Amino acid sequence: MALPMQRCWGRLRAVTLQCAAGYHAKPRTTGFGGMYKPDPADPDIKEWHKGPKYEAKLYGRYGSASGVNPESLWPSPEQLLLLQEEEKEWYPSLQEMLNNVKQREKEALQKKLERERMIAANMAKMPKMVADWRKAKREARLKEREEKAKKQRLLLLAQEKFGTSVDLRSPKFLEMVKEMEKEEKKKLKAVKRQQREEERAAMTAAIKAATQPKPETDGAV
């Protein structure tokens, strides 16, 4: 068991040494624990080793030994204004957050109360809506029965006039229906006219009775 393991470790060591022999690291630009300052003229400088952010990092770690002018790390007035606007937008104060929470709670309460008022108003209208629906259903059934009765009456009249083989779509039958509808409209107008005349006569009699002087009566017993 030990022999295969020794062979495996030996091969792994040989491969590792062979790879390590071909690796040549670049010489360090600073000593151990020193400060790395890239050469601005070097085209191979990484992006994170450029700009004010890296200089601020160097100054924060090494101070004046970094050779960085601290005045150059302060933002310009334009940058400071942008930072302030960004802070107001994305980092509101505690009071602003509390005000926003109160405003949202107030709006939610108003919506809840409005919804409850709407439900109460609809519930108050419910009996009338049910009564109207039932009335409409009764009127629709009554109208349907009247239409059936009218159609049956017209059919009987047509059979008496044209025979039993009358066609409900024939011009003669349709003409007869028009004539009967005209007669019914005339009768309905006459009934309404008579009702108006009776109401007018009753109103005239009531006015006359109210305006006539009452007969004087003797007050002696």
Side-chain angles (χ1 to χ4, degrees):
M1 184 68 180
L3 185 58
M5 289 296 294
Q6 290 178 358
R7 291 178 180 175
C8 182
W9 280 110
R11 291 178 182 175
L12 181 60
R13 183 171 180 273
V15 172
T16 304
L17 291 176
Q18 183 178 0
C19 294
Y23 175 73
H24 300 282
K26 293 182 179 180
R28 293 179 58 86
T29 57
T30 61
F32 291 100
M35 177 178 57
Y36 173 69
K37 292 194 66 174
D39 184 6
D42 187 1
D44 296 332
I45 296 177
K46 305 299 182 183
E47 289 296 329
W48 56 83
H49 287 159
K50 300 178 182 179
K53 289 186 178 181
Y54 186 71
E55 292 182 354
K57 183 178 179 181
L58 288 178
Y59 187 81
R61 180 175 296 179
Y62 301 106
S64 60
S66 63
V68 178
N69 184 12
E71 294 181 359
S72 64
L73 302 179
W74 287 95
S76 63
E78 293 78 9
Q79 293 174 344
L80 185 60
L81 182 60
L82 292 175
L83 290 174
Q84 290 176 351
E85 292 178 355
E86 182 179 357
E87 184 177 357
K88 288 181 181 179
E89 181 178 1
W90 297 103
Y91 305 100
S93 63
L94 179 60
Q95 187 62 38
E96 289 179 355
M97 289 190 289
L98 291 176
N99 293 337
N100 292 335
V101 171
K102 290 181 180 179
Q103 182 65 24
R104 287 196 294 268
E105 291 178 350
K106 182 179 179 181
E107 292 176 356
L109 180 60
Q110 289 178 352
K111 289 182 180 179
K112 181 181 178 181
L113 294 176
E114 184 64 26
R115 184 171 179 272
E116 290 177 353
R117 284 194 294 267
M118 183 180 65
I119 292 174
N122 291 334
M123 292 300 295
K125 295 177 182 177
M126 187 64 68
K128 184 177 183 303
M129 293 172 64
V130 173
D132 293 342
W133 176 78
R134 290 176 177 174
K135 181 181 178 181
K137 293 290 289 184
R138 288 195 301 268
E139 292 177 353
R141 288 194 295 266
L142 180 61
K143 186 176 181 180
E144 184 179 359
R145 288 196 295 266
E146 290 177 353
E147 290 293 334
K148 288 183 179 180
K150 180 180 178 181
K151 186 178 292 185
Q152 187 67 26
R153 185 173 68 255
L154 291 174
L155 181 60
L156 293 175
L157 292 174
Q159 288 177 353
E160 292 177 0
K161 188 173 182 180
F162 303 109
T164 56
S165 60
V166 62
D167 186 4
L168 300 181
R169 296 170 296 180
S170 64
K172 293 182 179 181
F173 179 78
L174 297 177
E175 185 66 25
M176 186 191 71
V177 171
K178 290 182 180 180
E179 292 295 331
M180 291 187 64
E181 288 178 349
K182 289 180 180 179
E183 291 296 329
E184 288 181 356
K185 288 181 179 179
K186 289 180 181 179
K187 291 179 181 179
L188 183 60
K189 287 182 178 179
V191 171
K192 289 183 177 180
R193 188 183 304 109
Q194 185 178 358
Q195 289 178 352
R196 288 196 298 269
E197 290 177 356
E198 292 177 355
E199 291 175 357
R200 191 181 299 110
M203 187 179 297
T204 302
I207 294 173
K208 185 181 294 184
T211 55
Q212 284 181 355
K214 294 182 180 180
E216 295 182 358
T217 57
D218 190 2
V221 179

